[in-house]
PDB file of all heavy atoms in Angstrom:
ATOM      1  N   PRO A 286      47.217  24.259  48.474  1.00  0.00           N
ATOM      2  CA  PRO A 286      47.560  24.506  49.888  1.00  0.00           C
ATOM      3  C   PRO A 286      47.327  25.927  50.215  1.00  0.00           C
ATOM      4  O   PRO A 286      47.764  26.845  49.518  1.00  0.00           O
ATOM      5  CB  PRO A 286      49.029  24.175  49.994  1.00  0.00           C
ATOM      6  CG  PRO A 286      49.374  23.336  48.770  1.00  0.00           C
ATOM      7  CD  PRO A 286      48.406  23.714  47.738  1.00  0.00           C
ATOM      8  N   GLY A 287      46.573  26.174  51.297  1.00  0.00           N
ATOM      9  CA  GLY A 287      46.340  27.524  51.823  1.00  0.00           C
ATOM     10  C   GLY A 287      45.249  28.272  51.115  1.00  0.00           C
ATOM     11  O   GLY A 287      44.949  29.421  51.491  1.00  0.00           O
ATOM     12  N   ARG A 288      44.619  27.688  50.111  1.00  0.00           N
ATOM     13  CA  ARG A 288      43.526  28.384  49.418  1.00  0.00           C
ATOM     14  C   ARG A 288      42.214  27.630  49.656  1.00  0.00           C
ATOM     15  O   ARG A 288      42.247  26.415  49.509  1.00  0.00           O
ATOM     16  CB  ARG A 288      43.846  28.541  47.971  1.00  0.00           C
ATOM     17  CG  ARG A 288      42.834  29.314  47.166  1.00  0.00           C
ATOM     18  CD  ARG A 288      43.380  30.034  45.928  1.00  0.00           C
ATOM     19  NE  ARG A 288      44.297  31.088  46.277  1.00  0.00           N
ATOM     20  CZ  ARG A 288      43.923  32.336  46.794  1.00  0.00           C
ATOM     21  NH1 ARG A 288      42.641  32.615  46.899  1.00  0.00           N
ATOM     22  NH2 ARG A 288      44.846  33.232  47.066  1.00  0.00           N
ATOM     23  N   ALA A 289      41.166  28.408  50.024  1.00  0.00           N
ATOM     24  CA  ALA A 289      39.877  27.775  50.224  1.00  0.00           C
ATOM     25  C   ALA A 289      39.236  27.410  48.904  1.00  0.00           C
ATOM     26  O   ALA A 289      39.426  28.148  47.910  1.00  0.00           O
ATOM     27  CB  ALA A 289      38.941  28.726  51.039  1.00  0.00           C
ATOM     28  N   GLY A 290      38.490  26.345  48.851  1.00  0.00           N
ATOM     29  CA  GLY A 290      37.768  25.955  47.652  1.00  0.00           C
ATOM     30  C   GLY A 290      38.729  25.489  46.558  1.00  0.00           C
ATOM     31  O   GLY A 290      39.930  25.227  46.827  1.00  0.00           O
ATOM     32  N   ARG A 291      38.182  25.396  45.380  1.00  0.00           N
ATOM     33  CA  ARG A 291      38.991  24.818  44.268  1.00  0.00           C
ATOM     34  C   ARG A 291      39.334  25.962  43.280  1.00  0.00           C
ATOM     35  O   ARG A 291      38.599  26.919  43.121  1.00  0.00           O
ATOM     36  CB  ARG A 291      38.200  23.793  43.568  1.00  0.00           C
ATOM     37  CG  ARG A 291      38.051  22.493  44.306  1.00  0.00           C
ATOM     38  CD  ARG A 291      37.123  21.534  43.635  1.00  0.00           C
ATOM     39  NE  ARG A 291      37.072  20.261  44.403  1.00  0.00           N
ATOM     40  CZ  ARG A 291      37.905  19.309  44.154  1.00  0.00           C
ATOM     41  NH1 ARG A 291      38.783  19.374  43.224  1.00  0.00           N
ATOM     42  NH2 ARG A 291      37.855  18.245  44.920  1.00  0.00           N
ATOM     43  N   VAL A 292      40.452  25.788  42.523  1.00  0.00           N
ATOM     44  CA  VAL A 292      40.866  26.770  41.498  1.00  0.00           C
ATOM     45  C   VAL A 292      41.123  26.037  40.221  1.00  0.00           C
ATOM     46  O   VAL A 292      41.393  24.850  40.237  1.00  0.00           O
ATOM     47  CB  VAL A 292      42.061  27.701  41.919  1.00  0.00           C
ATOM     48  CG1 VAL A 292      41.702  28.488  43.124  1.00  0.00           C
ATOM     49  CG2 VAL A 292      43.300  26.774  42.138  1.00  0.00           C
ATOM     50  N   SER A 293      41.084  26.822  39.078  1.00  0.00           N
ATOM     51  CA  SER A 293      41.374  26.248  37.761  1.00  0.00           C
ATOM     52  C   SER A 293      42.894  26.002  37.640  1.00  0.00           C
ATOM     53  O   SER A 293      43.654  27.030  37.767  1.00  0.00           O
ATOM     54  CB  SER A 293      40.814  27.093  36.649  1.00  0.00           C
ATOM     55  OG  SER A 293      39.394  27.263  36.816  1.00  0.00           O
ATOM     56  N   CYS A 294      43.307  24.867  37.289  1.00  0.00           N
ATOM     57  CA  CYS A 294      44.759  24.503  37.251  1.00  0.00           C
ATOM     58  C   CYS A 294      45.171  23.851  35.878  1.00  0.00           C
ATOM     59  O   CYS A 294      44.308  23.166  35.382  1.00  0.00           O
ATOM     60  CB  CYS A 294      45.142  23.582  38.398  1.00  0.00           C
ATOM     61  SG  CYS A 294      45.001  24.303  40.024  1.00  0.00           S
ATOM     62  N   GLN A 295      46.332  24.217  35.443  1.00  0.00           N
ATOM     63  CA  GLN A 295      46.950  23.534  34.304  1.00  0.00           C
ATOM     64  C   GLN A 295      47.386  22.157  34.561  1.00  0.00           C
ATOM     65  O   GLN A 295      48.153  22.034  35.566  1.00  0.00           O
ATOM     66  CB  GLN A 295      48.059  24.421  33.822  1.00  0.00           C
ATOM     67  CG  GLN A 295      48.866  23.909  32.603  1.00  0.00           C
ATOM     68  CD  GLN A 295      50.113  24.701  32.291  1.00  0.00           C
ATOM     69  OE1 GLN A 295      50.637  25.359  33.195  1.00  0.00           O
ATOM     70  NE2 GLN A 295      50.634  24.728  31.167  1.00  0.00           N
ATOM     71  N   GLU A 296      47.106  21.231  33.779  1.00  0.00           N
ATOM     72  CA  GLU A 296      47.661  19.909  33.878  1.00  0.00           C
ATOM     73  C   GLU A 296      48.943  19.808  33.038  1.00  0.00           C
ATOM     74  O   GLU A 296      49.238  20.826  32.381  1.00  0.00           O
ATOM     75  CB  GLU A 296      46.645  18.844  33.445  1.00  0.00           C
ATOM     76  CG  GLU A 296      45.407  18.760  34.311  1.00  0.00           C
ATOM     77  CD  GLU A 296      45.710  18.310  35.677  1.00  0.00           C
ATOM     78  OE1 GLU A 296      46.697  17.605  35.955  1.00  0.00           O
ATOM     79  OE2 GLU A 296      44.999  18.706  36.699  1.00  0.00           O
ATOM     80  N   THR A 297      49.551  18.742  33.008  1.00  0.00           N
ATOM     81  CA  THR A 297      50.815  18.554  32.184  1.00  0.00           C
ATOM     82  C   THR A 297      50.576  18.881  30.770  1.00  0.00           C
ATOM     83  O   THR A 297      49.691  18.378  30.165  1.00  0.00           O
ATOM     84  CB  THR A 297      51.376  17.107  32.266  1.00  0.00           C
ATOM     85  OG1 THR A 297      51.312  16.806  33.777  1.00  0.00           O
ATOM     86  CG2 THR A 297      52.763  17.011  31.761  1.00  0.00           C
ATOM     87  N   PRO A 298      51.446  19.839  30.185  1.00  0.00           N
ATOM     88  CA  PRO A 298      51.283  20.212  28.726  1.00  0.00           C
ATOM     89  C   PRO A 298      51.368  18.994  27.881  1.00  0.00           C
ATOM     90  O   PRO A 298      52.189  18.098  28.097  1.00  0.00           O
ATOM     91  CB  PRO A 298      52.367  21.168  28.564  1.00  0.00           C
ATOM     92  CG  PRO A 298      52.684  21.749  29.873  1.00  0.00           C
ATOM     93  CD  PRO A 298      52.473  20.611  30.819  1.00  0.00           C
ATOM     94  N   GLU A 299      50.584  18.993  26.797  1.00  0.00           N
ATOM     95  CA  GLU A 299      50.556  17.849  25.834  1.00  0.00           C
ATOM     96  C   GLU A 299      51.695  17.953  24.837  1.00  0.00           C
ATOM     97  O   GLU A 299      51.917  17.088  24.061  1.00  0.00           O
ATOM     98  CB  GLU A 299      49.217  17.757  25.209  1.00  0.00           C
ATOM     99  CG  GLU A 299      48.087  17.461  26.107  1.00  0.00           C
ATOM    100  CD  GLU A 299      46.731  17.782  25.475  1.00  0.00           C
ATOM    101  OE1 GLU A 299      46.588  17.786  24.297  1.00  0.00           O
ATOM    102  OE2 GLU A 299      45.781  17.955  26.265  1.00  0.00           O
ATOM    103  N   ARG A 300      52.296  19.150  24.671  1.00  0.00           N
ATOM    104  CA  ARG A 300      53.377  19.416  23.818  1.00  0.00           C
ATOM    105  C   ARG A 300      52.863  19.111  22.377  1.00  0.00           C
ATOM    106  O   ARG A 300      53.678  18.618  21.469  1.00  0.00           O
ATOM    107  CB  ARG A 300      54.607  18.539  24.054  1.00  0.00           C
ATOM    108  CG  ARG A 300      55.393  18.945  25.286  1.00  0.00           C
ATOM    109  CD  ARG A 300      56.127  20.262  25.118  1.00  0.00           C
ATOM    110  NE  ARG A 300      56.425  20.896  26.396  1.00  0.00           N
ATOM    111  CZ  ARG A 300      56.508  22.150  26.628  1.00  0.00           C
ATOM    112  NH1 ARG A 300      56.404  22.993  25.603  1.00  0.00           N
ATOM    113  NH2 ARG A 300      56.871  22.641  27.809  1.00  0.00           N
ATOM    114  N   LYS A 301      51.696  19.420  22.103  1.00  0.00           N
ATOM    115  CA  LYS A 301      51.111  19.225  20.741  1.00  0.00           C
ATOM    116  C   LYS A 301      50.568  20.558  20.271  1.00  0.00           C
ATOM    117  O   LYS A 301      49.707  21.140  20.961  1.00  0.00           O
ATOM    118  CB  LYS A 301      49.986  18.128  20.837  1.00  0.00           C
ATOM    119  CG  LYS A 301      49.723  17.411  19.610  1.00  0.00           C
ATOM    120  CD  LYS A 301      48.767  16.299  19.810  1.00  0.00           C
ATOM    121  CE  LYS A 301      47.411  16.740  20.312  1.00  0.00           C
ATOM    122  NZ  LYS A 301      46.492  15.662  20.623  1.00  0.00           N
ATOM    123  N   PRO A 302      51.038  20.998  19.153  1.00  0.00           N
ATOM    124  CA  PRO A 302      50.501  22.246  18.656  1.00  0.00           C
ATOM    125  C   PRO A 302      49.084  22.177  18.234  1.00  0.00           C
ATOM    126  O   PRO A 302      48.605  21.116  17.928  1.00  0.00           O
ATOM    127  CB  PRO A 302      51.348  22.632  17.386  1.00  0.00           C
ATOM    128  CG  PRO A 302      51.952  21.339  16.994  1.00  0.00           C
ATOM    129  CD  PRO A 302      52.048  20.515  18.214  1.00  0.00           C
TER     130      PRO A 302
END
Side-chain angles (χ1 to χ4, degrees):
R288 183 150 292 283
R291 290 171 174 271
V292 297
S293 300
C294 293
Q295 174 190 25
E296 295 296 332
T297 310
E299 298 164 20
R300 291 287 159 209
K301 203 170 62 184

